[in-house]
Amino acid sequence: MMKFRFRRQGNDPHREKIKQDLFAFNKTVEHGFPNQPSALGYDPKLQLMAIGTKSGAIKLYGAPGVEMTGLHKDTSAVTQIHFLHGQGRILCLLDDNTIHLWEIVQRENRSYLVEVNSFTLPGRPGIESSSATRVTVMLLKLSCNLLALGTEGGGVHFLELPSLTLLNRSLFQDQVMQSLPEEYKCGKSLGPVESLQEHPKNSDKILIGYSRGLVVLWDLNSRHVENLFLGKQQLESLVWERSGNRFVSSHSDGGYMVWSVSCSKLCTHEPVSGPVVLFSGGMPRASYGDRHCLSILQDSSHVTLDFTSRVIDFFTIHCAEPEQEFDEASMLVVLLEEELVVVDLQTPGWPTLPAPYLAPLHSSAITCASHISNVPPKLWERVISAGQLQCPLNSYENWPICGGKNLAPESKQKELLLTGHEDGTVRFWDASGVSLKPLYKLSTANIFQTDCDHNDSSTQGAEEEWPPFRKVGCFDPYSDDPRLGIQKISLCKYSGKLLVAGTAGQVIVLVMSDEKSDHMIDVATVDLLQDREGFTWKGHDRLPPKSGSVVFAAGFQPVALVQCLPPAAVTAVTLHAEWNLIAFGTSHGFGLFDYHRRSPVLARCTLHPNDSLAMEGPLSRVKSLKKSLRQSFRRIRKSRVSGKKRAVRRIEPRSADDSLSGVVRCLCFADTFLKDGTHHGPTLWAGTNSGSVYAYALDVPSQEKFSERNVEALLGKEIQLMHRAPVVSIAVLDGRGNPLPEPYEVSRDLAKAPDMQASHSVLIASEEQFKVFALPKVSAKTKFKLTAHEGCRVRKVALSNFTSVSSEEYSENSLVCLTNLGDIHVFSVPSLRPQVRYDCVRKEDISGIASCVFTKTGQGFYLISPSEYERFSLSARVITEPLCRVEVERPHDLSDNSSCSTILPQANGTHKTQVESKPSEAEGLMEELRSALSSPVLGSPNSSADLTLDTTGELTMEDVKDFLTTVDEAENNFRNMAEEDGRPPGILIN
Amino acid sequence: MNKNHRAPSNRTLSAVEVKSKFGAEFRRFSLDRSKPGRFDEFYGLLQHVHRIPNVDLLVGYADVHGDLLPINNDDNYHKAITVAAPLLRLFLQRKEEADYSAFGTDTVTRKKTPAALAAVLLRPDATKKKAPIIISLPKDFRPVSSIIDVDILPETHRRVRLYKHGQEKPLGFYIRDGSSVRVTPQGLEKVPGIFISRMVPGGLAESTGLLAVNDEVLEVNGIEVSGKSLDQVTDMMIANSHNLIITVKPANQRNNVVRNSGGAATSGSSGRSSDSNTSFYGFSIPGSMAMAPSHIIQNYEADEESEDEEDLVLEPDGGAKSLLESGAAARSTASSSMPALPRYESHLELRHANGTVASSSSTGSLNAHTRRNLEEDGTVITL
């Protein structure tokens, strides 16, 4: 019998060094709009804006590329943010009634945001309940040395800054009450402090507004009430005029009042001429109570900005000259729940200004994404010019928030991130740098007849409405027709051809064009059922294409539309522009289409005869009945289970007649050897949910004969994976084990030609394992069974090229894999040896895992909220992270003596601490196995008592070897782990 | 039954007449019934008398019922000698040309005469109307379960291997979370564990009798389950479902294999540790049970891994077809147009059992009816 011995082998230090040079895990930057913003702050001196979120993150934005993020230890919502102007310090009030001081610190010539101090207002023992000391408002004095806190109990407390020490000068309501006239007192409390405002001319005076309506001008030095303003309406907010002569109060009934300070009289109806008045809310409740509005009033001009989501806060950007009578606001910045809107107040008509960052990725829900690295300059320019036609104001020169300096070098390579949306649009984003900028938006809805075509904006103008509403913002969560949703995107960056596929089986081929055009689209239908009988589709109809010609602006223009029958959602696409071929798959089968001749080449049904669910479609009544029955059973079982706290799982192999076994999961084109080892040619590979792989040999005519000859496809191989796990990805590797280059890369001398001498191999990644087969015989070469070992499933895989930090010359191809547990594994290719493992996404974050996209250079993106992509890097070399510097000057620097952590927390709390896999994993496994043998379990109560428990003495090394020979999987994996290039394997066979 | 239609003489009692046919040639010789010798000697003798010393042979004999049965080890060789009455008819085939479908029940009697039997063996593939059910060689009969590694595991543990082999019978068991008590240096400790919660009646797991409800699962294919969630363990088991090795601590500790004692102590365990049903060795020497555990380990070791790891690769042959129909049509037309100018090298990685079938050059006929079988069974092919 074969005996195996594991030699204890130290890790090869050389290989470890190479690994360190290649791989490093970093979460680098968050793209998009912060999820659930809850506070807004602005520093006019540094020109920085801060946004706080409900998850306790604060994000700082300045000039494009200047971004900083901080995360509070407790995930409590940030309710207020105040800058200590010019000092680079930020005060945050959290929902848990704590106050935190953050500082911008410089380290290694870069700026970071670090928390340096925090404070909680102590309760007054015995007198006030804890809610009484709850901070309602904060006032930061312009001199930045004093912080006033208004509380729920009506008290005002003072803190010294920046040390956050409570001064013994608190002002309580009873002091104010003494100076009140009797008729105003009427035995009631004044209510919480609603507003605190510093006098613009005399910094010793502050205005205190109480909820009941009383406003007090308080002198800090003499500690007495200087003026009383006896408001009767419940107060919402206060604001000074610059002169200090008047202030404005807003009230819960939707009105505002202007008060004159000198005579303490109310002068509400005095027309305020010249200045701009801004207020949010204030709409007549009955008719417009559900709208999210902000009104701008100036002289006779009146505009009510009508937003699609709640107004969180707003500020104006104005000249800082204190001599001016009014603020002379130039810009209005409004933070909404789902986007940021900037209105230019100096340009007539008050137009909005596009923001260079904080793009609302989710203006319609993201349904898919695709990343294109190293975009050729030619295509890049054409995309940009097409985008500028759509939105002429696409320059960010007027952007007002421009503090800090972006130190990140201009990225050498242009990167595109394409997101598909529910409304049928594809958005092109510049993903080359830290800020994700919108470049171009492609809509596919205009080639179909949908129900929503009729209600154009023409009707809206006719309506004479008061107040004068104006729709602002682009967040539109309501999809017109869910069938328009984009499912898959494939772009050929060299030829400018784009393949877009959607929910109703539509597959659209688009070509980049610089001229606008008016043309008909060629429509073809492909029946993927192939006359299979006994099936009826009960899902949605296909989208009817528009008849006649359609006008298309410059940009990507549709040339061909293929509609799959039945019109199920497209689950996989691939495009080969050099061969003029597209392939697409649904839950029923896959098809091949020649878009040059506009003719279908192949349709193949992948359905299993028993698979009825796939046929009926998502809207089927039968299914919904089945489903609801199943769900109700599940619920019953769940309730039964939860009582006992016991879950049960059935152990059965995957059977072929699982529902949706025919779903085509991946498609790929390759020029390789399918027939024999000497003749290579175009091939098409398709993998399904039930572990089947189909390989077709294609006969593609040469470039000149495209118009004359048909493309032909012939089934070459059918591979049934034994474990029947869904095939996640297929890739063909050349003779050197490198992935085949993209179309045009070789013919245009952009990549090294693949090795066509040595035999090719195909890498098939299923949900459970990776396997490399030699071509053309399809004999297994290497494999790694991830599930058998780790008990996790493969969700996303990609082949990436990792370049070493120490030398640009050295790079390795690797297989990157994200599992259902949210961790990322990197394997060498084609030997499939595990290299590193990182925790990336929380395993509960299913949408995050499902949205993950890997780039070709070892980076990746995943959604941490519907509106935000987290960008991460697995490569030690290719890292896109904010690199910025903000110059600050502050009198007393706290950060020197503070013990700030060097690990910077990241926002949104979605992150696990990263743990790199131990390099000594192989040894760990050995230990595991040994301990499994040497620690017998004590018999359970019903085991016979006279059994000897200690059997360790009988176990020898030989026995362990024996054990391992039967444990093939572990051993195989182990061998993969233990072996490394250029050194003897760790297994010695006697 | 045609036994004893002639009174056995002394000569027939002591000697066995052998008529051995290889291709069109016959050889006749006799063997001593009381001292048959070993199979490999017999095999050498056959090669010698036929003068085909370097040809790999598949030896078959016609038994009393007229079934063509193989001779490929000492056991079935002895069986063939003892049942020969009095003539032992042998049919030799070249291994690479062997037609496995000829073996099995009623393969000989259906044709009644030896000539017809020969016709069965030698019939041309094209004349086959219906593919017979392929029954693999008895030596390739597969165990459905076994207890393994008895010698290295603590006696309280049992490592069970379930062989799925793609058969229809479900594995049929459920697992659940639970807690068990373990000895640690600190004393007894309650730790979370995974347990078998239910057996599906008639399922593979139940039919083996080696697993039972409340057995604690300690390892799955050599990987400890402690510290893993129920879902992770489920995934591990499903990923290995075609060749599942689970180490359990049986809830009932009375039937454990007692390793070092002799025959008497094993009375309880031996029945369980051997393959309970479909065992081909049922008729072999029953006295050898004492060596059962280690014997079983030895039996099926080397080839199992390669066998159940094999993914199935199908290659349709035939010339270029019109495209849209080729996908669906290729498989159905392949069997008829098989020999005609194959476009691809005919290659089928179908390894039945130990991989002898398709080892070197699988013939077209095998290809043909294998594929037809595939069609008959639907798209599900599992080996």
Side-chain angles (χ1 to χ4, degrees):
Chain A
M1 189 184 247
M2 299 246 268
K3 310 253 178 190
F4 293 88
R5 164 172 287 172
F6 289 88
R7 199 192 288 156
R8 283 209 164 225
Q9 188 126 24
N11 294 293
D12 183 357
H14 179 61
R15 179 64 199 163
E16 289 306 313
K17 172 77 178 70
I18 292 176
K19 277 200 214 171
Q20 277 173 15
D21 284 352
L22 292 174
F23 310 112
F25 182 74
N26 285 298
K27 288 187 181 177
T28 50
V29 65
E30 284 145 25
H31 292 308
F33 186 78
N35 189 35
Q36 294 188 300
S38 53
L40 178 68
Y42 179 64
D43 185 341
K45 269 196 194 154
L46 295 180
Q47 294 189 302
L48 290 177
M49 171 177 68
I51 293 176
T53 73
K54 281 196 179 153
S55 55
I58 51 170
K59 301 187 144 210
L60 219 58
Y61 298 91
V66 176
E67 286 184 25
M68 279 173 248
T69 301
L71 185 64
H72 291 97
K73 283 181 200 79
D74 303 308
T75 51
S76 187
V78 179
T79 53
Q80 288 180 48
I81 294 181
H82 297 272
F83 275 93
L84 280 73
H85 290 185
Q87 294 190 7
R89 288 188 176 134
I90 301 167
L91 275 171
C92 291
L93 174 65
L94 263 56
D95 203 32
D96 62 1
N97 209 30
T98 54
I99 294 163
H100 299 261
L101 180 65
W102 291 78
E103 272 185 6
I104 297 170
V105 296
Q106 322 291 349
R107 221 176 281 147
E108 294 157 7
N109 203 30
R110 293 172 56 178
S111 298
Y112 296 94
L113 199 57
V114 173
E115 184 178 340
V116 290
N117 208 346
S118 68
F119 172 81
T120 312
L121 198 61
R124 254 170 97 195
I127 299 175
E128 288 168 81
S129 65
S130 63
S131 79
T133 56
R134 191 176 171 80
V135 177
T136 50
V137 286
M138 302 206 296
L139 166 68
L140 188 61
K141 289 207 26 180
L142 272 174
S143 55
C144 291
N145 54 7
L146 191 73
L147 178 72
L149 305 175
T151 64
E152 198 116 302
V156 179
H157 306 270
F158 298 95
L159 300 180
E160 190 189 75
L161 282 179
S163 58
L164 288 179
T165 42
L166 185 64
L167 300 173
N168 194 15
R169 297 162 47 176
S170 301
L171 165 68
F172 294 100
Q173 260 189 24
D174 32 3
Q175 282 172 276
V176 178
M177 288 293 252
Q178 287 165 9
S179 42
L180 280 184
E182 278 305 315
E183 72 271 16
Y184 193 83
K185 279 183 190 166
C186 62
K188 277 190 281 183
S189 112
L190 296 171
V193 179
E194 283 293 341
S195 187
L196 288 172
Q197 295 295 332
E198 183 183 357
H199 194 288
K201 298 281 186 211
N202 186 347
S203 63
D204 288 339
K205 295 177 188 171
I206 60 167
L207 207 57
I208 305 167
Y210 293 95
S211 178
R212 232 178 89 193
L214 178 74
V215 180
V216 174
L217 187 61
W218 177 262
D219 192 305
L220 290 172
N221 280 340
S222 57
R223 294 183 56 80
H224 77 278
V225 175
E226 191 166 292
N227 226 331
L228 279 173
F229 307 93
L230 305 175
K232 301 253 159 59
Q233 277 294 337
Q234 195 181 328
L235 189 77
E236 294 284 325
S237 68
L238 293 173
V239 65
W240 279 104
E241 253 178 41
R242 274 206 172 186
S243 57
N245 296 328
R246 287 189 302 194
F247 67 90
V248 184
S249 64
S250 73
H251 301 274
S252 67
D253 64 349
Y256 67 92
M257 297 184 204
V258 183
W259 303 76
S260 168
V261 176
S262 47
C263 57
S264 87
K265 263 190 202 152
L266 183 66
C267 38
T268 65
H269 298 296
E270 180 189 331
V272 194
S273 69
V276 181
V277 177
L278 301 161
F279 58 87
S280 76
M283 306 304 292
R285 263 187 237 274
S287 29
Y288 304 115
D290 57 339
R291 297 220 191 177
H292 312 292
C293 293
L294 193 139
S295 298
I296 312 174
L297 295 169
Q298 183 177 34
D299 298 334
S300 57
S301 313
H302 178 191
V303 165
T304 299
L305 305 176
D306 186 5
F307 301 108
T308 49
S309 58
R310 202 163 56 87
V311 178
I312 305 293
D313 203 352
F314 65 91
F315 65 84
T316 56
I317 293 166
H318 43 72
C319 71
E321 294 293 314
E323 287 77 30
Q324 295 273 326
E325 194 190 351
F326 293 108
D327 279 351
E328 297 294 343
S330 57
M331 296 278 176
L332 166 68
V333 180
V334 189
L335 178 68
L336 304 164
E337 197 150 39
E338 305 289 354
E339 61 188 312
L340 184 83
V341 172
V342 178
V343 179
D344 183 354
L345 294 177
Q346 286 181 322
T347 311
W350 298 327
T352 56
L353 211 66
Y357 40 74
L358 289 169
L361 288 170
H362 61 316
S363 52
S364 170
I366 294 175
T367 46
C368 66
S370 165
H371 181 272
I372 294 105
S373 34
N374 201 2
V375 178
K378 197 172 143 204
L379 179 69
W380 187 260
E381 282 158 21
R382 294 173 82 186
V383 168
I384 286 190
S385 60
Q388 264 161 355
L389 286 175
Q390 288 180 333
C391 181
L393 269 172
N394 224 345
S395 65
Y396 305 112
E397 285 160 16
N398 303 337
W399 185 248
I401 304 161
C402 48
K405 220 191 198 153
N406 182 12
L407 303 177
E410 183 82 2
S411 62
K412 278 174 252 156
Q413 296 193 348
K414 295 293 181 192
E415 289 177 43
L416 268 179
L417 182 70
L418 272 54
T419 53
H421 297 262
E422 203 181 17
D423 61 356
T425 56
V426 177
R427 282 159 216 253
F428 289 62
W429 306 91
D430 176 0
S432 333
V434 168
S435 54
L436 196 69
K437 294 189 201 81
L439 294 179
Y440 170 70
K441 181 176 126 184
L442 164 74
S443 174
T444 60
N446 58 343
I447 64 169
F448 298 106
Q449 303 169 17
T450 51
D451 308 331
C452 40
D453 284 347
H454 321 295
N455 51 1
D456 279 344
S457 53
S458 55
T459 49
Q460 285 191 344
E463 220 173 305
E464 271 302 317
E465 235 181 344
W466 193 94
F469 284 118
R470 197 170 103 200
K471 288 249 174 236
V472 177
C474 59
F475 176 72
D476 177 17
Y478 306 107
S479 171
D480 300 329
D481 189 335
R483 292 177 297 170
L484 289 169
I486 305 294
Q487 296 292 333
K488 294 286 160 189
I489 303 169
S490 177
L491 173 71
C492 173
K493 60 190 181 187
Y494 300 111
S495 61
K497 298 215 167 62
L498 176 68
L499 179 59
V500 165
T503 307
Q506 74 269 34
V507 182
I508 307 162
V509 183
L510 303 105
V511 176
M512 185 70 186
S513 166
D514 300 325
E515 309 276 312
K516 88 175 211 191
S517 164
D518 184 357
H519 65 260
M520 296 253 293
I521 300 162
D522 293 292
V523 181
T525 55
V526 173
D527 182 10
L528 294 177
L529 282 186
Q530 291 288 289
D531 303 324
R532 258 219 214 188
E533 283 172 14
F535 294 127
T536 42
W537 170 255
K538 292 172 187 163
H540 49 234
D541 287 338
R542 68 191 179 109
L543 280 164
K546 268 189 192 150
S547 50
S549 63
V550 185
V551 181
F552 300 104
F556 284 96
Q557 296 172 347
V559 292
L561 166 67
V562 181
Q563 294 194 296
C564 301
L565 286 180
V570 176
T571 54
V573 292
T574 183
L575 163 73
H576 202 295
E578 216 168 351
W579 301 338
N580 290 321
L581 289 176
I582 57 166
F584 44 89
T586 71
S587 47
H588 304 104
F590 57 91
L592 182 64
F593 185 80
D594 173 358
Y595 62 82
H596 185 76
R597 292 172 61 101
R598 315 271 201 270
S599 69
V601 180
L602 167 80
R604 166 77 196 236
C605 182
T606 53
L607 281 182
H608 189 268
N610 302 355
D611 187 0
S612 55
L613 278 186
M615 294 313 308
E616 288 155 357
L619 304 176
S620 147
R621 221 176 36 191
V622 179
K623 190 192 171 187
S624 63
L625 179 66
K626 243 185 207 170
K627 209 174 162 187
S628 65
L629 272 175
R630 198 187 301 142
Q631 274 168 351
S632 58
F633 275 125
R634 242 178 230 160
R635 219 171 294 130
I636 293 168
R637 200 187 305 150
K638 212 180 197 175
S639 61
R640 218 185 285 149
V641 164
S642 62
K644 289 202 277 181
K645 287 257 180 201
R646 181 169 285 179
V648 176
R649 300 282 185 278
R650 188 186 164 94
I651 306 299
E652 283 306 336
R654 294 155 184 274
S655 68
D657 55 342
D658 267 352
S659 73
L660 303 180
S661 64
V663 176
V664 177
R665 290 289 295 267
C666 56
L667 289 161
C668 102
F669 285 116
D671 182 0
T672 187
F673 301 90
L674 190 62
K675 305 169 184 180
D676 53 57
T678 48
H679 303 98
H680 64 90
T683 57
L684 168 67
W685 297 75
T688 74
N689 233 13
S690 55
S692 298
V693 175
Y694 305 90
Y696 281 80
L698 307 180
D699 182 13
V700 180
S702 61
Q703 209 85 21
E704 313 84 57
K705 291 184 178 160
F706 269 140
S707 316
E708 301 159 31
R709 276 185 51 208
N710 272 329
V711 178
E712 293 186 7
L714 185 70
L715 183 62
K717 306 257 153 105
E718 250 183 81
I719 303 163
Q720 175 64 58
L721 299 178
M722 275 309 300
H723 54 292
R724 295 194 181 283
V727 179
V728 181
S729 171
I730 301 172
V732 175
L733 309 173
D734 75 357
R736 285 182 288 260
N738 297 324
L740 293 183
E742 286 178 51
Y744 287 116
E745 275 189 344
V746 174
S747 61
R748 296 190 181 176
D749 273 340
L750 297 162
K752 225 161 57 174
D755 181 358
M756 299 310 249
Q757 305 305 316
S759 78
H760 282 198
S761 48
V762 60
L763 167 64
I764 297 178
S766 77
E767 274 194 5
E768 292 179 355
Q769 53 179 261
F770 311 113
K771 232 166 169 175
V772 175
F773 296 89
L775 289 177
K777 286 191 96 182
V778 195
S779 48
K781 272 165 80 180
T782 49
K783 64 168 177 274
F784 189 85
K785 296 183 122 193
L786 190 67
T787 306
H789 195 252
E790 309 273 343
C792 54
R793 267 162 214 274
V794 178
R795 285 285 174 259
K796 302 270 173 183
V797 291
L799 284 168
S800 293
N801 188 271
F802 290 86
T803 309
S804 166
V805 234
S806 45
S807 161
E808 205 170 344
E809 310 287 293
Y810 185 77
S811 70
E812 281 184 20
N813 288 310
S814 299
L815 179 73
V816 183
C817 153
L818 176 74
T819 74
N820 63 335
L821 302 179
D823 52 352
I824 290 179
H825 300 248
V826 179
F827 297 88
S828 62
V829 169
S831 53
L832 298 181
R833 285 187 196 118
Q835 302 295 311
V836 284
R837 193 196 76 83
Y838 305 106
D839 288 320
C840 182
V841 193
R842 281 180 307 122
K843 71 175 178 191
E844 297 82 16
D845 186 5
I846 292 162
S847 66
I849 293 172
S851 64
C852 182
V853 182
F854 291 109
T855 77
K856 287 226 161 87
T857 52
Q859 295 194 67
F861 301 86
Y862 68 90
L863 285 174
I864 47 175
S865 72
S867 58
E868 269 173 302
Y869 269 113
E870 172 77 58
R871 188 186 190 119
F872 60 88
S873 183
L874 299 164
S875 163
R877 188 184 187 91
V878 186
I879 298 173
T880 307
E881 60 182 344
L883 199 65
C884 55
R885 189 173 170 87
V886 175
E887 296 301 336
V888 296
E889 41 181 289
R890 46 180 168 243
H892 331 279
D893 213 324
L894 282 182
S895 55
D896 293 336
N897 49 10
S898 68
S899 58
C900 42
S901 59
T902 45
I903 298 161
L904 294 161
Q906 280 172 309
N908 283 308
T910 58
H911 316 289
K912 292 198 276 192
T913 46
Q914 73 179 72
V915 183
E916 198 179 330
S917 63
K918 287 183 209 113
S920 59
E921 207 167 343
E923 279 187 29
L925 175 75
M926 193 59 211
E927 287 297 343
E928 236 171 72
L929 296 174
R930 197 171 297 132
S931 65
L933 294 170
S934 59
S935 62
V937 182
L938 176 71
S940 57
N942 54 357
S943 68
S944 51
D946 56 347
L947 283 168
T948 48
L949 285 173
D950 183 23
T951 55
T952 46
E954 296 164 32
L955 294 178
T956 63
M957 266 315 278
E958 310 319 297
D959 293 325
V960 180
K961 297 164 208 161
D962 233 352
F963 161 49
L964 284 161
T965 57
T966 58
V967 185
D968 312 286
E969 301 326 330
E971 194 238 67
N972 263 355
N973 285 352
F974 179 85
R975 198 175 330 178
N976 276 354
M977 287 179 228
E979 282 178 27
E980 286 296 347
D981 286 327
R983 68 185 171 98
I987 299 163
L988 199 139
I989 301 168
N990 293 334
Chain B
M1 307 298 165
N2 54 357
K3 60 177 177 184
N4 298 336
H5 55 87
R6 178 160 42 151
S9 67
N10 275 346
R11 193 172 139 267
T12 55
L13 279 175
S14 60
V16 180
E17 288 177 45
V18 182
K19 181 184 173 188
S20 170
K21 187 168 183 249
F22 175 71
E25 286 185 47
F26 287 95
R27 295 282 187 279
R28 284 175 182 275
F29 55 94
S30 67
L31 289 168
D32 190 345
R33 195 187 292 269
S34 57
K35 280 185 272 177
R38 288 185 295 121
F39 169 70
D40 45 359
E41 294 166 4
F42 174 65
Y43 187 77
L45 178 65
L46 289 175
Q47 286 183 323
H48 176 72
V49 297
H50 282 281
R51 295 191 189 145
I52 42 171
N54 294 320
V55 176
D56 280 340
L57 292 173
L58 199 65
V59 186
Y61 75 102
D63 83 341
V64 288
H65 308 297
D67 296 346
L68 181 66
L69 298 178
I71 302 178
N72 48 25
N73 58 28
D74 286 353
D75 290 336
N76 51 21
Y77 170 52
H78 292 155
K79 179 77 179 170
I81 293 294
T82 49
V83 300
L87 181 68
L88 177 64
R89 290 183 299 169
L90 295 178
F91 299 92
L92 310 185
Q93 300 173 73
R94 280 176 198 275
K95 224 167 206 168
E96 51 280 10
E97 293 169 356
D99 183 355
Y100 290 81
S101 63
F103 290 103
T105 312
D106 289 331
T107 44
V108 184
T109 44
R110 196 170 48 197
K111 302 293 178 181
K112 287 193 175 94
T113 64
L117 177 58
V120 170
L121 291 174
L122 302 170
R123 67 189 159 188
D125 309 313
T127 61
K128 275 189 202 170
K129 280 279 165 356
K130 206 178 90 189
I133 303 158
I134 301 173
I135 296 179
S136 56
L137 291 177
K139 77 157 186 178
D140 302 328
F141 273 18
R142 296 173 289 225
V144 290
S145 63
S146 51
I147 297 186
I148 56 176
D149 297 341
V150 189
D151 49 342
I152 57 166
L153 282 178
E155 286 170 7
T156 50
H157 296 181
R158 178 186 296 163
R159 185 165 294 156
V160 178
R161 186 164 186 173
L162 296 176
Y163 304 79
K164 177 72 178 139
H165 296 307
Q167 61 197 34
E168 286 310 303
K169 207 178 233 184
L171 275 177
F173 67 100
Y174 291 76
I175 57 170
R176 62 163 169 87
D177 281 326
S179 60
S180 73
V181 183
R182 223 161 269 242
V183 204
T184 65
Q186 291 79 39
L188 297 184
E189 198 187 10
K190 229 179 173 187
V191 291
I194 304 286
F195 295 85
I196 294 175
S197 65
R198 192 156 78 80
M199 306 292 251
V200 175
L204 182 61
E206 191 206 36
S207 70
T208 65
L210 301 178
L211 298 172
V213 172
N214 290 332
D215 286 1
E216 184 183 357
V217 179
L218 304 172
E219 291 173 7
V220 176
N221 287 55
I223 297 147
E224 260 197 279
V225 305
S226 76
K228 292 205 156 66
S229 71
L230 184 64
D231 286 325
Q232 271 172 291
V233 177
T234 306
D235 279 348
M236 287 161 62
M237 287 196 179
I238 288 175
N240 291 301
S241 56
H242 53 284
N243 178 27
L244 187 61
I245 301 167
I246 42 180
T247 309
V248 294
K249 196 185 66 174
N252 179 358
Q253 290 280 344
R254 285 175 214 292
N255 287 325
N256 293 329
V257 177
V258 180
R259 194 181 306 137
N260 36 14
S261 56
T266 58
S267 57
S269 66
S270 57
R272 302 206 118 201
S273 51
S274 64
D275 306 328
S276 50
N277 44 15
T278 73
S279 171
F280 173 67
Y281 299 90
F283 66 84
S284 69
I285 313 104
S288 66
M289 271 323 218
M291 56 180 283
S294 60
H295 176 71
I296 283 167
I297 301 168
Q298 302 290 345
N299 267 345
Y300 327 99
E301 37 169 37
D303 292 323
E304 289 300 333
E305 167 68 10
S306 62
E307 168 206 330
D308 48 37
E309 278 312 300
E310 226 38 69
D311 299 315
L312 184 64
V313 182
L314 290 183
E315 295 182 51
D317 291 65
K321 297 225 163 42
S322 115
L323 298 156
L324 281 172
E325 65 177 322
S326 67
R331 288 172 58 186
S332 55
T333 54
S335 55
S336 55
S337 67
M338 180 69 51
L341 190 69
R343 196 167 160 155
Y344 305 113
E345 182 196 330
S346 180
H347 172 84
L348 184 67
E349 283 264 339
L350 257 178
R351 288 203 203 164
H352 279 282
N354 287 347
T356 47
V357 175
S359 54
S360 49
S361 64
S362 50
T363 61
S365 75
L366 179 62
N367 243 335
H369 57 74
T370 312
R371 187 169 301 114
R372 208 173 308 146
N373 251 23
L374 303 183
E375 286 188 321
E376 282 167 8
D377 299 345
T379 57
V380 192
I381 315 147
T382 36
L383 297 177

